[in-house]
Structures are given as structure tokens and as C-alpha cells.
Amino acid sequence: MLDMEIDTGDTAWVLVSAALVLLMTPGLALFYGGMVRSKSVLNMMLMSFASLGVIGVLWVLFGYSMTFGSSVGNARIVGNPLEYLGLEGLMSPDAVAGTVPALAFVSFQAVFAIIAVALISGAIADRAKFGTWIVFTVVWATLVYFPVAHWVFAFDATDDAGAVTTYGGWIANSVQALDFAGGTAIHINAGAAALALALVVGKRIGFAKEPMRPHNLPLVMLGAGLLWFGWFGFNAGSALGANTLASVAFVNTIVATSAAILGWLLLERLRDGHPTSLGAASGVVAGLVAITPAANSVSPVGALVIGLVAGVACAAAVGLKYRFGYDDSLDVVGVHLVGGLVGTLLIGFLAHPQSPAEVAGLFYGGGFDQLGRQAIGAFAVLVYSFVVTLLIALLLKAVMGWRVPAEAESDGIDGDQHAESGYDLHPLRGGSGMIATATAAGSTRATSAEAAPTKSEELA
């Protein structure tokens, strides 16, 4: 850690931003939870909350060290897991990251790691064993997220004489691809992993044959709103200070997301004849994903273009699963992989020389140089994540199995995996005293109601 003076304003902003990003994971749980059928809502939401628990613990034990510790060897592949084991030494007042205490930076990056893992869960909704998912989060974070985050987010640190004291990752320092807040490390990474996992786990019963509509669209829109709110911490917080860079990222996050909503709704109107609330909510996420890597390197007009392209591209991409026959339940591939690629690659065209990144893209006289760097970073992460995730998923399939029994999937994974129901819609369920009283009075209404499911239960 560099020995610099702590700025209280910067520290306050980073801590607030960490809290905002933490809120994104419950927001994602609501967004995903509303998109599945009612019989799966608790399992879907719990997969996000489990990521909070697992990754929060791993980050403290060795995840932070693997990500931001000095690279092991000259390949710049992963940080030394023992350097900050258990966050040893980071409570000192002298341990700082830029102008904030080291532990403020630790907290901020912890919530990035959490949501990166949680994003993947949407690809395997309705059918995966919860225990296998828990083991997957441990292995995937260790073998995929922590190393990839090291490639992208860990920069070399130097002393006053200019000598390197901490060696960072190869994409950040050798390739010098731009990824301000996680277009590659989080979204392309999670999207590629989601594709691999969906292929191994297999299709839901009735995929492409039965309607599998979202059961609660207001929940989806609430989740999207919370994601947008928290994303200001995600992007503007990555400035690690209350400054001009944070302000640029903040404005770009607004305009790109706004444009993506319009792009998604426009494509729906032209293709399907009507815009939808689900489309608007999905457009929010597509725009947020796409501007994440570019928030510090494009102008507000550039952000508008990125958002508009992402909204249209992601809306078109979500249908690819039907064409190619993979069941990515909640379109993690179509939104996060495609959106991450759009934002990361468009930096090569739209990077503005007057932006905080001070890099010129192709449209501003910078030639193809930065575009090449962006492509190397994006596709290296995509290939690594897909291949390693595929191997992890196949191993877990052989050892533990991924699928719940077919009967449990049809009846509802919530009851099978958690012995719970998201909605208790029966008017007499849980009211044993009422049933007993009615029966004692000679009434058969309670017995009949208990035997015959309501329409709401049938739909659930």
C-alpha cells in the first residue's frame, strides 16, 4: 500500500459507494426473483444472498490478497494469497490505498466480488441444487474471479524513487486495456461463466415449449431501480474520491442507462409491436453494464451512443438462446456478456482525449491501437472464464450433480430445496384453529377448501 495522506471526503465517498454497491445484490435478488415463476422465487433470491455470505468470507480470508497482492512470478496472473491473508496488516493507520484507508478500499472491492458471482445464478434458475451452487461459488471465485480481477484491477505500485513495489495484473499493466469499473472483470466474466454453466446444467423442463413468464413484474422493476441506484456507487465510486472523475462517471451512468432504455423499447416496438415493462427494466441493466468499463473514458455523448447500442444489441441478443438451444434462464449472456462486450469494445472507437482517461479512440484520431487493446482484454477474459467454468461445472456435475429431481422442478424448487413457499395464497393454510372450529361446527367448507387448490395455487 502506498504511504499517502488520508482524505476524509474521499474516504466518506468510498464507504458510501461500498454501501451502494452492496445494495445492488439484494436489488439483483429482487430483479431475478421477479423474473422467475412463483414456485422458484425464494431459491432464486437465496442464490444471491448466499453469494453475499460465501464471497464476503472468502474475500477477507484470501480473496483480496489474490486480487490485489503483488503478482506471483512474472506472468502477472494472480496476486500472492498469503500477502494479506486474513487482511493482516491492513488495520494500521499507515495502510492506505490512494487517499483512503486500505480497509475502505477492501470493503469497496468486496462488494464487487459478491455481485460478480451472484450475476451468474440467473442462468440456472429453477433447476439447480442449492448445495452445488454454494460449492460452485467457492471454487469459481477462487479460480476465476480473483485471478481475473487481478488481471484487470491490480495496477503496479511504485515508491518515491519510481521503483515498482507491487506488481499488478497483465491486462491492466501490459496490455493497458481500459476497464474502469468491471466490464471485463465482472460482466464479460460472469456472462461467459453463465453460458458455460447453462450448457452443463441443461435446459429447464418445458424450455421453448411452455410459457415461462415472469411472475412479478413490479418486483423486477423495483430490482432494476435499486440496481441503477446502487450502480452510481459502482461507477462513480470507482474514482476512489469525491472529484471530477467521479462526476464524469456519474453523468455517463445516467445518460447511457437512459439511452439504453429507449433503445430496448424501440426494438421491442419494431419487432413485437409493443414496448414492455420487462424490456424497460432490462434496458436499465443493459445500459449500466455497457457504460461500466467506459465511464471514465467517453464523453456524455459517447455514453449516449454506448447506451443506445447496448439497449438494441442486448434486446436482440436475448433471443439467441432459442436459436442456439441453450437455456440461459434470465438472459445473463444476452445482457451481461453482450453488454460488457459492447461497452468494452466501443471504448476503442469512442474514447475521448479530454476525458479523465486521456485516451483517444478511433473516432478521435487515436487509430486502432486502443481498440486492439480492448479486444485482447475482452476476449482473453471471455475465453478463460468460459473454459475454466466449463471444467468446474463438469466436475461438480460428476461429483455432486446439478439438477434437482424432475418432480421437484415441476412442483417447485422452493419446496424441494428450502421447504418454503414464496407466497402462501391459500386462505386457510396455516390457520389450523380456523379449520378445527369450522369442522367442529359441522361445516365441510374448510375440508373442501383444503383439498382443492385455488386458481392462484395452480398458477404457482
Side-chain angles (χ1 to χ4, degrees):
M1 292 295 166
L2 296 177
D3 185 14
M4 297 179 66
E5 184 177 352
I6 291 174
D7 183 284
T8 55
D10 291 347
T11 301
W13 173 236
V14 170
L15 291 174
V16 168
S17 295
L20 287 171
V21 180
L22 179 64
L23 180 65
M24 289 171 64
T25 299
L28 180 72
L30 292 169
F31 182 73
Y32 278 175
M35 289 176 68
V36 298
R37 291 167 289 180
S38 61
K39 61 185 179 181
S40 306
V41 58
L42 292 180
N43 176 261
M44 190 70 261
M45 297 181 75
L46 190 53
M47 291 172 84
S48 288
F49 275 82
S51 301
L52 278 162
V54 172
I55 307 306
V57 171
L58 295 184
W59 189 252
V60 169
L61 295 179
F62 57 83
Y64 177 79
S65 193
M66 287 181 66
T67 305
F68 292 102
S70 189
S71 284
V72 177
N74 298 323
R76 296 176 175 268
I77 298 298
V78 68
N80 182 356
L82 302 178
E83 186 171 351
Y84 301 115
L85 188 66
L87 304 183
E88 183 66 28
L90 297 186
M91 292 191 294
S92 167
D94 296 326
V96 299
T99 58
V100 303
L103 287 182
F105 182 69
V106 169
S107 302
F108 182 65
Q109 289 294 335
V111 289
F112 274 58
I114 288 166
I115 197 165
V117 177
L119 287 172
I120 303 170
S121 64
I124 55 172
D126 295 336
R127 60 200 187 277
K129 293 179 180 178
F130 187 69
T132 309
W133 168 251
I134 293 291
V135 176
F136 173 82
T137 63
V138 175
V139 180
W140 190 84
T142 304
L143 298 183
V144 181
Y145 180 78
F146 299 152
V148 169
H150 179 76
W151 301 354
V152 176
F153 291 148
F155 291 88
D156 291 349
T158 58
D159 58 21
D160 293 337
V164 177
T165 57
T166 301
Y167 288 88
W170 69 277
I171 290 179
N173 299 281
S174 300
V175 178
Q176 296 182 353
L178 298 178
D179 184 357
F180 184 59
T184 54
I186 294 175
H187 298 291
I188 293 176
N189 196 3
L195 177 58
L197 205 55
L199 291 173
V200 173
V201 175
K203 305 172 188 176
R204 289 167 290 179
I205 296 173
F207 172 71
K209 298 177 182 178
E210 302 173 5
M212 297 181 180
R213 289 184 287 268
H215 86 283
N216 193 327
L217 287 170
L219 207 65
V220 173
M221 300 194 78
L222 174 61
L226 289 174
L227 283 169
W228 195 350
F229 177 67
W231 221 290
F232 289 112
F234 203 83
N235 287 352
S238 291
L240 299 180
N243 50 34
T244 300
L245 175 55
S247 302
V248 170
F250 202 106
V251 170
N252 283 344
T253 301
I254 293 174
V255 68
T257 310
S258 301
I261 295 172
L262 298 180
W264 194 300
L265 293 179
L266 176 62
L267 183 66
E268 282 191 327
R269 178 67 177 83
L270 295 174
R271 181 186 63 195
D272 308 323
H274 47 263
T276 67
S277 59
L278 180 60
S282 300
V284 166
V285 179
L288 292 168
V289 168
I291 197 57
T292 291
N296 73 325
S297 58
V298 300
S299 69
V301 173
L304 188 155
V305 173
I306 288 175
L308 188 62
V309 172
V312 173
C314 292
V318 296
L320 293 177
K321 64 184 180 183
Y322 299 108
R323 178 176 299 178
F324 295 107
Y326 63 90
D327 186 7
D328 169 22
S329 308
L330 306 185
D331 301 312
V332 184
V333 176
V335 174
H336 294 274
L337 178 57
V338 173
L341 286 170
V342 167
T344 300
L345 295 177
L346 283 182
I347 292 173
F349 295 94
L350 297 170
H352 198 293
Q354 296 179 7
S355 69
E358 298 181 338
V359 172
L362 180 64
F363 293 165
Y364 293 92
F368 289 95
D369 178 67
Q370 193 60 44
L371 178 59
R373 297 175 189 275
Q374 297 305 120
I376 291 171
F379 290 106
V381 170
L382 191 162
V383 172
Y384 177 81
S385 179
F386 179 82
V387 171
V388 178
T389 305
L390 190 68
L391 295 175
I392 294 170
L394 288 170
L395 177 62
L396 291 178
K397 182 178 181 178
V399 174
M400 302 179 66
W402 273 105
R403 299 292 292 258
V404 297
E407 183 180 0
E409 183 179 337
S410 298
D411 292 344
I413 195 171
D414 286 352
D416 178 75
Q417 293 289 292
H418 311 295
E420 293 179 302
S421 173
Y423 304 97
D424 192 352
L425 301 177
H426 197 296
L428 298 180
R429 184 170 290 154
S432 57
M434 183 185 302
I435 295 173
T437 302
T439 303
S443 172
T444 60
R445 184 178 299 277
T447 304
S448 300
E450 185 68 17
T454 65
K455 186 63 177 176
S456 298
E457 285 182 294
E458 291 175 353
L459 291 174

